[in-house]
Structures are given as structure tokens and as C-alpha cells.
Amino acid sequence: MSPYLDASAWQESWDRQQEAFLPDREERFTAMLDIVEAVAGPAPRVLDLAGGTGSISLRTLRRFPRGTTTLVDIDPVLLTIARASLDDRTAIVTTDLRDPAWTGALPHDGYDAVLSATALHWLDEDRLAALYGEIAHVLRPGGVVINADHMPDEGLPGLSKTLRDRARERRNARYAAGAATSWPGWWDLVSRDEVLAAPYAERKKIFSSTEHHDWTPPATWHEAVLREAGFTEVGLAWRGGTDAAVVAVR
Ligand SMILES: C[S@@+](CC[C@H](N)C(=O)[O-])C[C@H]1O[C@@H](n2cnc3c(N)ncnc32)[C@H](O)[C@@H]1O
């Protein structure tokens, strides 16, 4: 029998692993999709930026069966899981968001919404600022970008540290109890899967040759850069602890 990838099992384990970092992850996705529905109605065209396994695309299409998504990412493992999970309403594009030419690989422009979650902190300051400008060019007028990530409130430096420490303790307790898989533990499972082992080897080449940034400025930084990029309305769509989602209207 040829090797078989149980995509729904991998989606489930990815979700548990991510929820260890973000206990209110589903609430945050819902807040993002509430905005998409308000600006685009029941058949939105969504760009799922650095979408990984397709968490945002899957939730978008479950909620809006007549919608379409484009999923952009660089990781061969996560994209293998995404391809096995999504149907032809999603176009999957392998591209590196560090390259300003990434928009040339998109199958459309004029998106209603560009959504990203827990991903853009991998880019450095200059690249993320430029990316916000590039996103404006692929949105239709009135379309929105929503970026959810670690974005502490700069008025609360001490409390933010305490919240982060507490979140780490809770996460470690869940790992110790076997309630969730850690980030390295999840990748170890991937490396031992007969279908994912080959894309995992490819991934190691992509990520070993590059520096992994972890740049997490406050929400006010994102808001200021989005205003500078020409977005007409900019603000917070959601906040939970030291994470937030900024939204901007083109
Ligand atoms: C923690 S995952 C989040 C995935 C998804 N949004 C979710 O919430 O499940 C971060 C994603 O960013 C992607 N990523 C990081 N750097 C990237 C780059 N330079 N170009 C494209 N994707 C990138 C990773 O491959 C990964 O899929």
C-alpha cells in the first residue's frame, strides 16, 4: 500500500500544538472572519498569508462555502498538509514573503481581505513595513488586511511580562501532562511520518540557510506603519493578553 497522509489528524495535532501558545486562537479567527463577512458578504476572496497548513483557509471556507482563498507559504511540510486538506476553492502558492516579488506569484489581485495569523513576526522590521505596502496593492478599495500576532500593549510593559511568564508556565504544564505537543515535539513527529519525511528534509534546507527573526513590536507600531502605507482606517480588531489583531481598510 502506498504511504497515506491522514490530513485531518495532522490538522488536529497542529491546532492542539498552536493552541498551547494561543488558548483563544479560535476566538481570534472568528473575530477576523466577522470582519471579512462585514466587508465582503457571503462569498469573500481571501488571501491567507503565510497560511501554513491552511488554518485560515479551512475556517474561511467552512463559514463561507461560496468563498475562495489563496494560500501563500514557503514551508514544504505545512503546504503538503494544506494540499491534502483543501479543495479547488483554494489556490496554493509556494513563495517567500521576504522576496518583494511575491505578489507576482498570486493568481489574482483585488482581494477582499488579506489575513495572517502568528506568522509575520518571522520577518524583520524593514521587510514587514514594506510588506504592508505590497498588501495594499493586492486589495480592492475597501478591502481589509488583518494581522494577528504577538503585539503587546506598550503601555503595559510590566504586566505584559507577567502575562507572558504565566502563559509559559501554563504551556509547560500542558506539555508535561501530555495535553499538547511542543513545537520541537511536533516537528519530531513530522520527521518520522512516511509521507512528510521528504518535505521535512526539504524544509530543513530552506530554514537552516536563513535566519529566523522573532520581531514582535507593539500594536501601535503596526498601526503607524499601516497608516503610512496609505490605509484609510486602522485600528485593533481584537486583543487577548499580549496578542492582538490589527485591521486596516484600504
Ligand atoms: C506559526 S505558523 C502559522 C500558520 C497559520 N497562519 C496558523 O495560524 O495556523 C507561521 C507560518 O509562517 C510561514 N512563514 C514564515 N516565514 C515565511 C516566509 N518568509 N514566507 C512565507 N511564509 C513564511 C511558516 O512557513 C508558517 O507556515
Side-chain angles (χ1 to χ4, degrees):
M1 216 166 74
S2 59
Y4 164 72
L5 185 74
D6 187 336
S8 64
W10 282 105
Q11 290 290 349
E12 198 181 330
S13 76
W14 172 260
D15 284 345
R16 296 295 88 77
Q17 177 259 108
Q18 286 287 295
E19 279 164 10
F21 293 95
L22 307 156
D24 38 20
R25 183 168 176 257
E26 291 303 330
E27 185 191 303
R28 201 173 60 156
F29 286 140
T30 300
M32 296 168 91
L33 294 181
D34 285 346
I35 292 176
V36 171
E37 184 172 21
V39 300
R45 297 193 345 156
V46 169
L47 175 56
D48 179 0
L49 203 62
T53 60
S55 309
I56 288 177
S57 289
L58 286 165
R59 284 159 181 78
T60 300
L61 296 172
R62 215 176 286 142
R63 178 158 164 179
F64 310 111
R66 292 196 289 120
T68 57
T69 72
T70 300
L71 188 165
V72 166
D73 204 281
I74 195 178
D75 189 312
V77 171
L78 302 182
L79 288 176
T80 299
I81 298 171
R83 275 191 204 96
S85 308
L86 291 154
D87 60 29
D88 61 6
R89 291 171 295 171
T90 300
I92 296 182
V93 176
T94 304
T95 191
D96 185 345
L97 292 171
R98 289 166 298 187
D99 177 358
W102 69 277
T103 55
L106 296 177
H108 320 284
D109 57 8
Y111 288 95
D112 295 307
V114 176
L115 307 181
S116 188
T118 337
L120 301 184
H121 62 264
W122 288 31
L123 303 177
D124 66 27
E125 176 170 5
D126 290 346
R127 185 65 205 119
L128 180 54
L131 183 74
Y132 277 143
E134 292 150 13
I135 288 170
H137 290 290
V138 301
L139 279 170
R140 66 161 169 84
V144 291
V145 55
I146 311 175
N147 178 22
D149 212 333
H150 188 67
M151 295 182 191
D153 184 322
E154 65 184 344
L156 302 169
L159 182 58
S160 293
K161 184 184 176 312
T162 307
L163 287 170
R164 271 195 298 264
D165 290 347
R166 180 66 198 119
R168 190 179 315 107
E169 285 164 10
R170 245 194 328 247
R171 198 160 59 239
N172 286 336
R174 300 198 70 220
Y175 296 152
T181 310
S182 68
W183 177 258
W186 193 82
W187 287 105
D188 186 48
L189 293 174
V190 164
S191 72
R192 289 188 274 120
D193 180 85
E194 54 181 350
V195 173
L196 298 177
Y200 178 70
E202 216 183 305
R203 172 186 204 271
K204 284 212 307 197
K205 285 186 221 147
I206 294 171
F207 284 105
S208 68
S209 62
T210 57
E211 215 181 307
H212 176 184
H213 288 274
D214 203 3
W215 188 67
T216 58
T220 47
W221 179 89
H222 293 268
E223 291 173 350
V225 172
L226 285 160
R227 272 187 215 101
E228 253 171 61
F231 286 91
T232 58
E233 293 188 26
V234 177
L236 273 198
W238 178 87
R239 173 168 286 291
T242 54
D243 266 55
V246 287
V247 56
V249 183
R250 192 192 143 191

